[in-house]
Amino acid sequence: MNEGSRSVRQARTSAGAVASGGRPIITQLMIAVNVLAYIATVVQSGSPMNNQRSSIFVETAMIPGLTAAGEWWRVVTSGFMHFGLIHLALNMAALFVVGPVIEQELGKLRYSAVYFLSLLGGSASAFLFGSVCPTYAGASGAVFGLMGALLIVFKRQQRDISTIVVIVVLNLVSNLFTNASLLGHLGGLVIGGLLTLAMVKAPRQNRNAYQIGAVVAAAVLLVGMFALRAAQLDTAAEFLLEYNTCR
């Protein structure tokens, strides 16, 4: 019986993950990290709605000028900071709904790559194309990356994507009337969607090599975006000149 079990080929998803999947451990872990980070800022600031006054928040949110000056950890850590309880709740609710679907389809390793590169895609887009003035924070880049991934997965499975398209468009349009970062959301959406497309379209032969190549290509693109903006802000004088236009 054991020998027979070993000889049975396990069902695979379009990305090559084992179809059984198991618990969405990575999604649960990301939610836990985001919630714990928020709690830490609330405890330190003494306010659930004005937690951005916390020194943890100040030292980890993405401020383009400080990031370009060498504080590069901000492009990652900012994805775990949130402006108040509502901001956190909206992002975690979306992650709770969308995350397990994509984790099941891609598998834990591929899913982790899509999540973090989408997070960086949001940071890179806001960093390169945005102003030096705002403070950027939130898991929205990663969440929109997963929405982009969901569009690709559903399209691949020949399922109706109209509802997802409407939700994405409404969220992007709402950015025009709020303080949310449209650039950050678009950056995450594009990276998550394209990376997932590359993963599900990879041929079965040499699938892993193609998928690793797609991850490396996305990482190189993002590094180039960060480097380009850093070069534009390579002197204190240039940064101050642009920063003064925000006041």
Side-chain angles (χ1 to χ4, degrees):
M1 290 177 66
N2 290 337
E3 186 63 32
S5 298
R6 283 195 292 268
S7 65
V8 174
R9 179 175 294 178
Q10 292 179 302
R12 299 274 176 175
T13 67
S14 60
V18 177
S20 58
R23 290 177 57 192
I25 296 174
I26 305 301
T27 298
Q28 293 171 352
L29 178 61
M30 292 300 100
I31 292 174
V33 172
N34 276 280
V35 171
L36 288 173
Y38 169 74
I39 291 173
T41 60
V42 169
V43 170
Q44 194 174 60
S45 66
S47 172
M49 302 307 293
N50 293 306
N51 59 307
Q52 66 269 23
R53 297 180 300 190
S54 161
S55 62
I56 295 175
F57 190 102
V58 172
E59 293 298 325
T60 56
M62 194 180 77
I63 302 171
L66 296 178
T67 303
E71 297 182 6
W72 289 103
W73 65 82
R74 293 175 180 272
V75 303
V76 176
T77 57
S78 60
F80 297 93
M81 293 291 109
H82 288 86
F83 292 100
L85 182 58
I86 296 176
H87 187 204
L88 174 75
L90 290 173
N91 277 337
M92 293 306 99
L95 180 54
F96 179 79
V97 172
V98 178
V101 179
I102 305 304
E103 188 169 348
Q104 169 79 24
E105 184 68 21
L106 300 184
K108 292 172 175 51
L109 190 58
R110 299 177 188 86
Y111 173 75
S112 298
V114 170
Y115 185 95
F116 281 102
L117 287 175
S118 296
L119 186 157
L120 290 174
S123 295
S125 179
F127 186 69
L128 177 60
F129 301 111
S131 167
V132 300
C133 306
T135 297
Y136 297 99
S140 303
V143 169
F144 267 81
L146 296 183
M147 288 185 179
L150 189 64
L151 284 169
I152 298 301
V153 167
F154 272 28
K155 187 67 175 177
R156 178 75 172 177
Q157 296 174 346
Q158 298 183 333
R159 298 171 63 177
D160 180 33
I161 64 171
S162 58
T163 301
I164 304 172
V165 171
V166 170
I167 291 172
V168 170
V169 171
L170 287 176
N171 274 277
L172 291 175
V173 171
S174 70
N175 292 170
L176 302 175
F177 307 99
T178 66
N179 291 326
S181 173
L182 176 61
L183 289 170
H185 292 174
L186 284 172
L189 180 70
V190 170
I191 291 295
L194 290 179
L195 189 53
T196 302
L197 179 63
M199 288 182 174
V200 300
K201 286 288 190 178
R204 290 187 178 182
Q205 296 77 15
N206 301 319
R207 173 186 280 154
N208 289 343
Y210 277 91
Q211 292 175 342
I212 291 171
V215 170
V216 171
V220 170
L221 172 64
L222 295 175
V223 169
M225 293 172 69
F226 286 123
L228 179 60
R229 183 56 166 158
Q232 295 172 350
L233 300 173
D234 62 351
T235 67
E238 290 175 0
F239 169 68
L240 289 174
L241 179 63
E242 186 166 350
Y243 183 76
N244 285 334
T245 64
C246 306
R247 297 180 174 180

